[in-house]
């Protein structure tokens, strides 16, 4: 709820200054997509940026080396699997609404 309210405030404050918005990484779950539509509105287009689990894992491991993140390979793998499970419903939801644009 907090993220949605922050998004709404930011979007409303810029309504006259923009032709649209690009929101990165949201919604992550179907419930968030439904709440976004009921409180803000239906998006005109949703991008799904495809990336293999191997590519994500190697990038996250490289990020760990250059920052203070301490995730190990097992933690990263579990996080990626969790992400794929949660995003399946969101992707299917927007595919049914014909708003989804998949980018490999």
């Amino acid at each position: 709820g907090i993220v949605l309210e922050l998004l709404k405030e930011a979007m409303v404050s810029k309504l006259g200054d923009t032709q649209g918005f690009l929101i990165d990484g949201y919604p992550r779950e179907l419930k968030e997509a439904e709440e976004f539509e009921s409180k803000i509105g239906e998006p005109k287009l949703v991008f799904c940026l495809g990336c293999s689990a191997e590519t994500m894992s190697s990038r996250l491991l490289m990020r760990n080396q250059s920052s203070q993140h301490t995730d190990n390979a097992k933690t990263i793998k579990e996080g990626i699997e969790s992400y794929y499970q949660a995003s399946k419903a969101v992707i299917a939801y927007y595919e049914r609404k014909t708003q989804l644009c998949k980018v490999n």
Side-chain angles (χ1 to χ4, degrees), residues 18 29 33-34 54 60 63 65-67 69 73 80 83 98:
T18 184
E29 297 178 359
E34 293 168 340
E54 295 79 23
L60 289 169
R63 180 187 72 176
Q65 294 171 355
S66 64
S67 70
H69 291 285
I80 291 170
Y83 165 77
T98 66

Side-chain angles (χ1 to χ4, degrees), residues 39-82:
K39 293 183 179 179
I40 296 177
E42 196 169 301
K44 291 183 180 165
L45 183 62
V46 175
F47 288 101
C48 176
L49 305 178
C51 183
S52 72
E54 295 79 23
T55 299
M56 280 194 271
S57 181
S58 68
R59 288 179 182 175
L60 289 169
L61 286 168
M62 283 189 301
R63 180 187 72 176
N64 284 348
Q65 294 171 355
S66 64
S67 70
Q68 296 179 2
H69 291 285
T70 58
D71 295 338
N72 60 32
K74 181 182 177 204
T75 304
I76 288 172
K77 182 180 181 200
E78 290 169 356
I80 291 170
E81 289 172 5
S82 174

